[in-house]
Amino acid sequence: MTLDAFVPGNWEYAYGPAQLLSLVEQLNFPAIAANVYQTSNQKRPFLPYIIKEFNDLKVGIIGLTYPYVDKTMPDSFSEGFSFSLGLNELPHLIDTLRSNEHVDLIVINSHLGLPLDVKLASMVNDIDVIMSGHSHDRIEQPIMQNGCIIVQAGSSGSFLGRLDLEVWNGKIKHFKHQLIPLFTDE
């Protein structure tokens, strides 16, 4: 299974931002996080989003990293970085993706944690899917909030989350979600 992108979580910052940036440069896929900035110039160290095309379907995938690295982790984790919840960034990014890039779906790949993701979906319109992380919840039935499908597949590689979407004219008409257990003997 190949990776299209990843969102840094709180522990990816453990050896400091410089080491994280060095490791990201070695990857053959991008790190995405719209809510982290370098304090020296207020530029984003990571791409805010990527666009993936699946046949005739264009999907904008926005990354949101853990917003409290600078508050809950040791100072060395976030030195030179600042973080936000993404509330100010998302409406503009969603509008850019819909209007300029003409994406059909907006997916948030999030490391905010399930409670913040549910709140985020209630506060920001036009999000189709949130792939939630950080809080290690195993969500068997997706949570629906403000028209957004929210899923999370636990932690430590115990499950692969699968979300099948049936999309017509840029709208999700049907979906099926399952947690697929990953066993080392299989």
Side-chain angles (χ1 to χ4, degrees):
M1 182 168 50
T2 60
L3 298 177
D4 294 316
F6 96 104
V7 173
N10 50 306
W11 289 107
E12 273 70 41
Y13 298 92
Y15 295 102
Q19 177 65 5
L20 174 56
L21 293 173
S22 173
L23 292 172
V24 165
E25 287 178 15
Q26 298 173 48
L27 300 174
N28 60 0
F29 50 86
I32 57 173
N35 63 328
V36 59
Y37 299 90
Q38 294 173 322
T39 54
S40 61
N41 58 18
Q42 289 306 300
K43 291 185 179 180
R44 289 184 177 108
F46 310 112
L47 295 174
Y49 62 84
I50 61 168
I51 298 171
K52 294 296 296 180
E53 293 189 43
F54 305 94
N55 298 322
D56 293 335
L57 188 69
K58 237 177 144 175
V59 181
I61 304 169
I62 302 171
L64 292 176
T65 193
Y66 180 65
Y68 300 119
V69 173
D70 55 345
K71 294 174 180 54
T72 63
M73 309 303 276
D75 291 343
S76 62
F77 281 38
S78 61
E79 187 175 338
F81 279 7
S82 64
F83 303 84
S84 77
L85 288 170
L87 292 173
N88 293 326
E89 295 88 347
L90 280 178
H92 171 71
L93 291 172
I94 291 169
D95 183 57
T96 297
L97 286 166
R98 295 272 191 205
S99 300
N100 299 350
E101 301 289 350
H102 308 290
V103 302
D104 299 297
L105 297 178
I106 299 290
V107 174
I108 307 294
N109 195 351
S110 169
H111 200 86
L112 300 181
L114 188 62
L116 286 179
D117 286 327
V118 172
K119 184 69 173 174
L120 179 74
S122 74
M123 297 175 72
V124 178
N125 294 324
D126 212 15
I127 301 171
D128 296 296
V129 176
I130 296 178
M131 297 170 60
S132 181
H134 179 67
S135 53
H136 302 190
D137 295 286
R138 293 179 183 171
I139 305 299
E140 297 207 22
Q141 294 298 318
I143 296 169
M144 296 299 299
Q145 182 69 35
N146 192 20
C148 176
I149 302 165
I150 304 169
V151 295
Q152 193 175 128
S155 66
S156 305
S158 55
F159 290 90
L160 178 65
R162 178 173 176 161
L163 180 63
D164 294 303
L165 304 173
E166 189 176 311
V167 180
W168 293 96
N169 296 323
K171 298 290 179 198
I172 297 172
K173 298 298 181 186
H174 178 73
F175 65 89
K176 179 183 172 191
H177 174 259
Q178 68 184 73
L179 293 177
I180 301 168
L182 299 177
F183 300 108
T184 56
D185 61 339
E186 295 179 13

